[in-house]
Amino acid sequence: MGLDKIRQEIDRTDAQLKGLFLERMDLSRQVAEEKIRTGGAVYAPEREQNILARRTEGMPEEYQPECRAFFQHIMGISRTYQYSRLADQAEALQELSDKAEEVVVTFGCEPGYPGISASLDALSLAGIKTEEIHLQKDENGEYFCQMYLNGDFSQNISRAAVLQILEENKNARLEKAR
């Protein structure tokens, strides 16, 4: 099969993925509405690990890391969307103003911790600039991450990205940059 034919097949596959993506996002909206109604948490790490195990089961070994990353990214996008539905009610976001500003988010993490990647993905999706990232140890030898963020926090998607970081990482806090 020539390159042009392969690209046509990729285009056909992408069109199918688009329809499935829209269906998944509608389901994510329904999940968010249910969680708003019941007070459920958006992030369920054990459930996500089970889903990832099922999605990669039977997958050719050479594709497993990419398949895992694909589904992790889709679930992260869905969570960001769900947080955008909750952002208006989130007390944790009261530090954010409705204009462009710089804030600092600090949270506990270990080197290689996947929460950093999910946080960066959410910020990128929202168009928030990550000015600096510092990974340090505190006096107890625990690692923590500080992210200096700059952007317009008036949009639900940008507020959702910050809320996602605060909700999904241990000992997370938000403060205005000095």
Side-chain angles (χ1 to χ4, degrees), residues 137-169:
K137 277 187 184 180
D138 66 14
E139 59 279 354
N140 300 322
E142 299 284 324
Y143 284 94
F144 69 95
C145 182
Q146 280 189 315
M147 291 183 172
Y148 290 77
L149 310 175
N150 195 330
D152 176 1
F153 294 100
S154 64
Q155 302 294 315
N156 264 0
I157 190 72
S158 51
R159 298 174 72 76
V162 174
L163 183 59
Q164 186 167 352
I165 295 169
L166 295 173
E167 293 290 320
E168 295 183 6
N169 295 286

Short mmCIF file of all heavy atoms in Angstrom, two decimals, residues 137-169:
data_model
loop_
_atom_site.label_atom_id
_atom_site.label_comp_id
_atom_site.label_asym_id
_atom_site.label_seq_id
_atom_site.Cartn_x
_atom_site.Cartn_y
_atom_site.Cartn_z
N LYS A 137 12.56 18.63 47.77
CA LYS A 137 12.28 17.83 48.96
C LYS A 137 12.01 18.78 50.12
O LYS A 137 12.67 19.81 50.25
CB LYS A 137 13.48 16.96 49.34
CG LYS A 137 13.60 15.68 48.61
CD LYS A 137 14.75 14.87 49.22
CE LYS A 137 14.98 13.61 48.45
NZ LYS A 137 16.07 12.82 49.04
N ASP A 138 11.04 18.41 50.96
CA ASP A 138 10.80 19.21 52.15
C ASP A 138 11.67 18.70 53.29
O ASP A 138 12.49 17.80 53.11
CB ASP A 138 9.32 19.25 52.51
CG ASP A 138 8.76 17.90 52.94
OD1 ASP A 138 9.54 16.96 53.22
OD2 ASP A 138 7.52 17.79 53.01
N GLU A 139 11.49 19.27 54.47
CA GLU A 139 12.32 18.91 55.63
C GLU A 139 12.13 17.45 56.07
O GLU A 139 12.98 16.89 56.75
CB GLU A 139 12.04 19.86 56.81
CG GLU A 139 10.61 19.89 57.30
CD GLU A 139 9.68 20.78 56.47
OE1 GLU A 139 10.14 21.48 55.56
OE2 GLU A 139 8.47 20.73 56.74
N ASN A 140 11.04 16.81 55.66
CA ASN A 140 10.79 15.41 56.00
C ASN A 140 11.27 14.45 54.91
O ASN A 140 11.03 13.24 55.01
CB ASN A 140 9.28 15.18 56.24
CG ASN A 140 8.76 16.02 57.38
OD1 ASN A 140 9.44 16.22 58.38
ND2 ASN A 140 7.56 16.55 57.20
N GLY A 141 11.90 14.98 53.88
CA GLY A 141 12.37 14.14 52.79
C GLY A 141 11.30 13.80 51.77
O GLY A 141 11.53 13.00 50.86
N GLU A 142 10.10 14.41 51.89
CA GLU A 142 9.01 14.19 50.94
C GLU A 142 9.19 15.14 49.75
O GLU A 142 9.54 16.30 49.92
CB GLU A 142 7.66 14.48 51.61
CG GLU A 142 7.34 13.60 52.78
CD GLU A 142 6.91 12.21 52.38
OE1 GLU A 142 6.22 12.10 51.34
OE2 GLU A 142 7.29 11.26 53.07
N TYR A 143 8.93 14.61 48.57
CA TYR A 143 9.01 15.45 47.38
C TYR A 143 7.75 16.28 47.21
O TYR A 143 6.66 15.82 47.52
CB TYR A 143 9.20 14.58 46.13
CG TYR A 143 10.59 14.05 45.98
CD1 TYR A 143 10.93 12.79 46.45
CD2 TYR A 143 11.58 14.81 45.35
CE1 TYR A 143 12.21 12.30 46.31
CE2 TYR A 143 12.86 14.32 45.21
CZ TYR A 143 13.17 13.06 45.69
OH TYR A 143 14.44 12.58 45.55
N PHE A 144 7.94 17.49 46.73
CA PHE A 144 6.80 18.32 46.35
C PHE A 144 7.15 19.07 45.08
O PHE A 144 8.31 19.29 44.76
CB PHE A 144 6.36 19.26 47.48
CG PHE A 144 7.34 20.36 47.80
CD1 PHE A 144 7.20 21.62 47.23
CD2 PHE A 144 8.39 20.15 48.67
CE1 PHE A 144 8.09 22.63 47.52
CE2 PHE A 144 9.29 21.15 48.97
CZ PHE A 144 9.14 22.40 48.40
N CYS A 145 6.12 19.44 44.37
CA CYS A 145 6.26 20.14 43.10
C CYS A 145 5.60 21.50 43.24
O CYS A 145 4.54 21.62 43.85
CB CYS A 145 5.58 19.32 42.00
SG CYS A 145 5.72 20.05 40.36
N GLN A 146 6.25 22.51 42.70
CA GLN A 146 5.66 23.84 42.61
C GLN A 146 5.58 24.22 41.14
O GLN A 146 6.58 24.12 40.42
CB GLN A 146 6.51 24.88 43.33
CG GLN A 146 6.32 24.90 44.81
CD GLN A 146 7.03 26.09 45.43
OE1 GLN A 146 8.16 26.38 45.10
NE2 GLN A 146 6.34 26.77 46.33
N MET A 147 4.41 24.63 40.73
CA MET A 147 4.20 25.09 39.36
C MET A 147 3.77 26.55 39.40
O MET A 147 2.80 26.89 40.09
CB MET A 147 3.11 24.27 38.66
CG MET A 147 3.47 22.85 38.38
SD MET A 147 2.10 22.08 37.47
CE MET A 147 2.86 20.52 37.05
N TYR A 148 4.48 27.38 38.66
CA TYR A 148 4.13 28.78 38.52
C TYR A 148 3.34 28.91 37.22
O TYR A 148 3.87 28.64 36.15
CB TYR A 148 5.38 29.66 38.50
CG TYR A 148 6.06 29.71 39.83
CD1 TYR A 148 6.84 28.65 40.28
CD2 TYR A 148 5.90 30.81 40.67
CE1 TYR A 148 7.47 28.69 41.52
CE2 TYR A 148 6.52 30.86 41.91
CZ TYR A 148 7.30 29.79 42.33
OH TYR A 148 7.90 29.83 43.57
N LEU A 149 2.08 29.29 37.36
CA LEU A 149 1.16 29.32 36.23
C LEU A 149 0.75 30.74 35.90
O LEU A 149 0.54 31.55 36.80
CB LEU A 149 -0.10 28.50 36.57
CG LEU A 149 0.12 27.11 37.13
CD1 LEU A 149 -1.20 26.48 37.52
CD2 LEU A 149 0.89 26.25 36.14
N ASN A 150 0.59 31.00 34.62
CA ASN A 150 0.19 32.32 34.18
C ASN A 150 -0.90 32.17 33.13
O ASN A 150 -0.74 31.40 32.19
CB ASN A 150 1.39 33.06 33.59
CG ASN A 150 1.15 34.55 33.46
OD1 ASN A 150 0.03 34.99 33.27
ND2 ASN A 150 2.22 35.31 33.57
N GLY A 151 -1.99 32.89 33.33
CA GLY A 151 -3.05 32.81 32.34
C GLY A 151 -4.31 33.51 32.76
O GLY A 151 -4.39 34.09 33.83
N ASP A 152 -5.29 33.41 31.90
CA ASP A 152 -6.60 33.98 32.13
C ASP A 152 -7.46 32.90 32.80
O ASP A 152 -7.79 31.91 32.18
CB ASP A 152 -7.21 34.41 30.79
CG ASP A 152 -8.62 34.94 30.92
OD1 ASP A 152 -9.16 35.01 32.05
OD2 ASP A 152 -9.21 35.26 29.87
N PHE A 153 -7.80 33.12 34.04
CA PHE A 153 -8.55 32.13 34.80
C PHE A 153 -10.06 32.41 34.82
O PHE A 153 -10.77 31.92 35.68
CB PHE A 153 -7.99 32.01 36.22
CG PHE A 153 -6.59 31.47 36.24
CD1 PHE A 153 -5.50 32.31 36.38
CD2 PHE A 153 -6.37 30.12 36.07
CE1 PHE A 153 -4.21 31.80 36.36
CE2 PHE A 153 -5.09 29.59 36.06
CZ PHE A 153 -4.01 30.44 36.20
N SER A 154 -10.53 33.21 33.86
CA SER A 154 -11.95 33.49 33.81
C SER A 154 -12.73 32.38 33.10
O SER A 154 -13.94 32.28 33.28
CB SER A 154 -12.20 34.83 33.10
OG SER A 154 -11.79 34.75 31.75
N GLN A 155 -12.07 31.55 32.33
CA GLN A 155 -12.72 30.48 31.61
C GLN A 155 -12.84 29.22 32.48
O GLN A 155 -11.91 28.91 33.24
CB GLN A 155 -11.93 30.13 30.33
CG GLN A 155 -11.75 31.29 29.38
CD GLN A 155 -13.07 31.73 28.79
OE1 GLN A 155 -13.88 30.90 28.38
NE2 GLN A 155 -13.30 33.03 28.75
N ASN A 156 -13.94 28.50 32.34
CA ASN A 156 -14.12 27.28 33.12
C ASN A 156 -13.03 26.26 32.85
O ASN A 156 -12.60 25.55 33.75
CB ASN A 156 -15.49 26.66 32.87
CG ASN A 156 -16.50 27.07 33.91
OD1 ASN A 156 -16.19 27.81 34.83
ND2 ASN A 156 -17.71 26.59 33.76
N ILE A 157 -12.54 26.17 31.60
CA ILE A 157 -11.52 25.17 31.28
C ILE A 157 -10.21 25.47 32.01
O ILE A 157 -9.54 24.55 32.48
CB ILE A 157 -11.30 25.05 29.74
CG1 ILE A 157 -10.43 23.86 29.40
CG2 ILE A 157 -10.74 26.32 29.15
CD1 ILE A 157 -11.08 22.53 29.58
N SER A 158 -9.84 26.75 32.16
CA SER A 158 -8.61 27.07 32.88
C SER A 158 -8.79 26.86 34.37
O SER A 158 -7.90 26.36 35.06
CB SER A 158 -8.13 28.49 32.57
OG SER A 158 -9.15 29.43 32.75
N ARG A 159 -9.96 27.18 34.89
CA ARG A 159 -10.25 26.93 36.30
C ARG A 159 -10.28 25.42 36.56
O ARG A 159 -9.83 24.93 37.58
CB ARG A 159 -11.56 27.60 36.70
CG ARG A 159 -11.51 29.12 36.54
CD ARG A 159 -12.84 29.79 36.77
NE ARG A 159 -13.24 29.79 38.16
CZ ARG A 159 -12.74 30.59 39.10
NH1 ARG A 159 -11.82 31.46 38.79
NH2 ARG A 159 -13.18 30.51 40.34
N ALA A 160 -10.80 24.67 35.58
CA ALA A 160 -10.87 23.21 35.70
C ALA A 160 -9.48 22.60 35.78
O ALA A 160 -9.25 21.66 36.54
CB ALA A 160 -11.63 22.62 34.52
N ALA A 161 -8.54 23.12 34.99
CA ALA A 161 -7.18 22.58 35.01
C ALA A 161 -6.55 22.74 36.40
O ALA A 161 -5.91 21.82 36.92
CB ALA A 161 -6.33 23.27 33.95
N VAL A 162 -6.76 23.91 37.01
CA VAL A 162 -6.22 24.13 38.36
C VAL A 162 -6.95 23.24 39.36
O VAL A 162 -6.32 22.63 40.23
CB VAL A 162 -6.33 25.62 38.75
CG1 VAL A 162 -5.91 25.83 40.20
CG2 VAL A 162 -5.47 26.47 37.81
N LEU A 163 -8.27 23.15 39.24
CA LEU A 163 -9.04 22.30 40.14
C LEU A 163 -8.59 20.84 40.03
O LEU A 163 -8.47 20.14 41.03
CB LEU A 163 -10.53 22.42 39.82
CG LEU A 163 -11.48 21.63 40.72
CD1 LEU A 163 -11.33 22.05 42.19
CD2 LEU A 163 -12.92 21.82 40.25
N GLN A 164 -8.30 20.40 38.82
CA GLN A 164 -7.83 19.03 38.62
C GLN A 164 -6.53 18.79 39.38
O GLN A 164 -6.37 17.77 40.04
CB GLN A 164 -7.64 18.75 37.12
CG GLN A 164 -7.30 17.31 36.81
CD GLN A 164 -7.42 17.01 35.32
OE1 GLN A 164 -7.90 17.82 34.55
NE2 GLN A 164 -6.99 15.83 34.94
N ILE A 165 -5.61 19.73 39.32
CA ILE A 165 -4.35 19.59 40.05
C ILE A 165 -4.61 19.54 41.55
O ILE A 165 -4.07 18.69 42.27
CB ILE A 165 -3.39 20.75 39.72
CG1 ILE A 165 -2.98 20.69 38.25
CG2 ILE A 165 -2.16 20.72 40.63
CD1 ILE A 165 -2.25 21.93 37.76
N LEU A 166 -5.48 20.43 42.03
CA LEU A 166 -5.76 20.49 43.47
C LEU A 166 -6.45 19.23 43.97
O LEU A 166 -6.18 18.76 45.07
CB LEU A 166 -6.61 21.72 43.79
CG LEU A 166 -5.95 23.07 43.54
CD1 LEU A 166 -6.97 24.20 43.74
CD2 LEU A 166 -4.73 23.27 44.41
N GLU A 167 -7.33 18.67 43.17
CA GLU A 167 -8.11 17.51 43.59
C GLU A 167 -7.34 16.19 43.44
O GLU A 167 -7.59 15.25 44.19
CB GLU A 167 -9.41 17.42 42.78
CG GLU A 167 -10.38 18.53 43.07
CD GLU A 167 -11.01 18.41 44.44
OE1 GLU A 167 -11.33 17.29 44.87
OE2 GLU A 167 -11.19 19.46 45.10
N GLU A 168 -6.43 16.10 42.49
CA GLU A 168 -5.81 14.82 42.17
C GLU A 168 -4.42 14.62 42.76
O GLU A 168 -3.80 13.59 42.55
CB GLU A 168 -5.76 14.62 40.65
CG GLU A 168 -7.14 14.52 40.05
CD GLU A 168 -7.14 14.26 38.56
OE1 GLU A 168 -6.06 14.03 37.97
OE2 GLU A 168 -8.26 14.27 37.98
N ASN A 169 -3.93 15.59 43.48
CA ASN A 169 -2.59 15.49 44.05
C ASN A 169 -2.63 15.72 45.55
O ASN A 169 -3.41 16.53 46.03
CB ASN A 169 -1.65 16.52 43.39
CG ASN A 169 -1.45 16.22 41.92
OD1 ASN A 169 -0.75 15.29 41.56
ND2 ASN A 169 -2.10 16.99 41.06
#
